Amino acid sequence: MTRSRALSALATIALFVGLLATVAPAPVAAGHPDRISGADRYQTAAKVSASRFAAGVPVAYVVTGAKFPDALAAGVAAGVERGPVLLTQPTALPPATAAELDRLRPAEIVVVGGTGSVSDGVLAQLQGKTSGEVTRVQGPDRFATAAAVARHAFAAPTTAYVASGETFPDALAGVPAAVRQGAPLL
């Protein structure tokens, strides 16, 4: 695994754990922290979702597990809307993600990113995972996609968090604060 892929994977996992901890912290017995993990990033995201969300969530966001920017913008929107972020491969819906969506039966699925991030084939597979609509939110690049997520999920924000779209640390650090404040991350 290359260093950039490892950092991307770490950022994605940290995003979910940090985001969900701000939305619905789980009780932990003193000295006995719970570890949520899977064989890969797709299973880990599904297990984090299963540990925090009951069936019938209002929304589930689906983003590529190959890159970090879309997940960061989607993470804030999902946190504010009380739904999980699940990962997909660009051209194939991983079994762990499919199974978690079957369990969740979200009222809506929002796919973040263009067809290079999440193919139309994956979008078609997602149609059967919700009783509502599957919506794609995208822009021509990561910056425009983050702005599109903000327009989609935030009616009239008075605050926005702005961070570099070139690397993930600053944006990742801003996710919990943005969720708490109900503000988009650009």
Side-chain angles (χ1 to χ4, degrees), residues 7 11 68 72 163-176 185:
L7 289 175
F68 69 89
L72 291 168
S164 172
E166 299 298 325
T167 61
F168 66 87
D170 294 339
L172 180 61
V175 168
L185 176 69

Side-chain angles (χ1 to χ4, degrees), residues 2 8 11 14 17 23 38 52 67 77-78 81 83-84 87 94 96 105 111 115 117 126 134 138 163 169 171 177 183:
T2 66
S8 179
V17 173
V23 175
R52 298 291 188 263
K67 300 176 190 168
E81 295 182 82
L87 304 177
R105 296 307 295 176
V111 173
T115 57
S117 296
L126 294 171
V134 177
Q138 66 178 351

Side-chain angles (χ1 to χ4, degrees), residues 100-174:
E100 180 59 5
L101 286 167
D102 286 340
R103 184 192 71 80
L104 287 170
R105 296 307 295 176
E108 173 189 14
I109 295 176
V110 178
V111 173
V112 177
T115 57
S117 296
V118 180
S119 71
D120 285 335
V122 170
L123 194 90
Q125 287 180 280
L126 294 171
Q127 297 290 341
K129 307 291 182 192
T130 178
S131 58
E133 292 187 23
V134 177
T135 305
R136 183 186 295 274
V137 177
Q138 66 178 351
D141 58 30
R142 62 183 67 183
F143 309 105
T145 296
V149 169
R151 284 189 302 276
H152 175 82
F154 300 90
T158 58
T159 301
Y161 283 72
V162 180
S164 172
E166 299 298 325
T167 61
F168 66 87
D170 294 339
L172 180 61

